[in-house]
Amino acid sequence: METDTPNIRAVRAGDGRTLLVTWKGGAECPVDVGEHIAHFTIFAPLRTDDAAFHKVSIGEWGWNVHWSGDMEISSDTLWRLALEQGSALLRAWRDGNRMTQADAASALGVSPRMWRYYEAGEHLLPKTVRLACVGFDAQTKAA
């Protein structure tokens, strides 16, 4: 597991209750915070108010995102969610295409070792790999 959790360089609201997070190192990933905000009472205003959710900003030093003084999510939590969600996305994509890990890695041009890291949630899933999944599906559908 990556131990050096980076801080956040930029954040903006995406579709639904998804945040598009750019990390200090430049990696960008969507993080669905819908379940997280549904679980805690403090976030009740963000569950249904799109305008309020879109007012997300970076907290001091990039160690969290916040909407108000009390409504914030730490970068550690966002990082964990990003790893879990990237892993789940890859596993579902691979299972949906009925591939082994080695076949999936080869199809997308990723080393088998990195594929295992991504699918195990040990490394952040790069935007290029997410886009490669979409491209593979589009190419397969067009064939």
Side-chain angles (χ1 to χ4, degrees):
M1 193 98 172
E2 290 182 32
T3 57
D4 187 24
T5 306
N7 60 354
I8 299 164
R9 183 188 327 168
V11 66
R12 62 181 164 52
D15 295 334
R17 292 301 175 256
T18 299
L19 296 175
L20 302 171
V21 179
T22 303
W23 301 97
K24 174 179 66 177
E28 179 185 277
C29 63
V31 181
D32 184 343
V33 295
E35 281 186 37
H36 187 81
I37 64 174
H39 185 73
F40 297 99
T41 306
I42 191 75
F43 296 116
L46 302 179
R47 295 179 195 148
T48 57
D49 187 344
D50 290 341
F53 185 77
H54 279 78
K55 290 181 181 177
V56 65
S57 61
I58 301 171
E60 191 170 330
W61 303 104
W63 293 117
N64 64 30
V65 297
H66 64 92
W67 291 267
S68 72
D70 293 334
M71 289 191 289
E72 62 183 38
I73 302 175
S74 73
S75 62
D76 289 339
T77 298
L78 291 171
W79 184 258
R80 178 184 52 80
L81 291 172
L83 290 172
E84 291 171 0
Q85 292 170 11
S87 170
L89 177 106
L90 261 195
R91 198 171 307 112
W93 180 86
R94 181 174 62 81
D95 290 346
N97 283 291
R98 296 187 175 119
M99 294 181 180
T100 65
Q101 285 184 335
D103 292 340
S106 177
L108 299 185
V110 175
S111 76
R113 180 190 328 181
M114 287 310 298
W115 186 276
R116 288 189 301 273
Y117 286 147
Y118 298 146
E119 196 169 305
E122 294 179 14
H123 287 278
L124 195 64
L125 183 62
K127 185 177 186 176
T128 54
V129 176
R130 287 194 316 273
L131 292 173
C133 291
V134 172
F136 183 91
D137 289 346
Q139 187 178 32
T140 303
K141 189 175 182 178

